[in-house]
Amino acid sequence: MGNPVLTAGVVAAAVITSMAFLAGGTARSFDIRPPFGVVLVSEIGPRSERARILSFATKTRVPEVRAQLDADPAFTRKLRARGIQLRNVIRLERSMNGRTIVNVR
């Protein structure tokens, strides 16, 4: 009969691969998480948290963020498609689940 854990893993891999194939991608490109989240600084509740996020908008850090955006045209297209003005992006951070969090002024 075989190892049930190994069998379940093989079945899961086959399902993911077939779903990715049907979607026109590869198993490596299959990702069910949203690619990024947007946080508008003006909508952050606690004033101290808002101030902390705005502290990242320095003359040295914002150009670094801009360089990251310029290096990834596909990502910038997605941001623009959601109505995000790139000049207002003040911070990009990677969350623990792998998503990119975009802080927008």
Side-chain angles (χ1 to χ4, degrees):
M1 195 157 196
N3 184 337
V5 174
L6 181 61
T7 303
V10 170
V11 170
V15 168
I16 290 172
T17 303
S18 63
M19 288 173 69
F21 177 77
L22 292 173
T26 64
R28 178 169 242 187
S29 66
F30 181 78
D31 189 1
I32 59 172
R33 292 185 315 253
F36 62 92
V38 175
V39 176
L40 300 175
V41 176
S42 62
E43 295 180 1
I44 295 175
R47 184 175 289 168
S48 60
E49 182 64 14
R50 193 172 334 142
R52 187 184 72 80
I53 296 297
L54 285 173
S55 73
F56 289 99
T58 64
K59 290 183 179 188
T60 56
R61 287 185 179 166
V62 171
E64 292 171 2
V65 169
R66 186 57 165 192
Q68 287 176 313
L69 293 173
D70 290 343
D72 194 347
F75 184 62
T76 57
R77 280 193 300 275
K78 290 176 185 178
L79 288 173
R80 285 186 179 122
R82 291 204 28 201
I84 304 298
Q85 295 180 357
L86 299 181
R87 70 174 185 261
N88 291 330
V89 175
I90 59 172
R91 184 176 182 212
L92 299 172
E93 65 179 312
R94 182 74 68 181
S95 67
M96 291 181 67
N97 67 1
R99 291 180 60 199
T100 299
I101 305 299
V102 181
N103 294 130
V104 179
R105 170 181 2 204

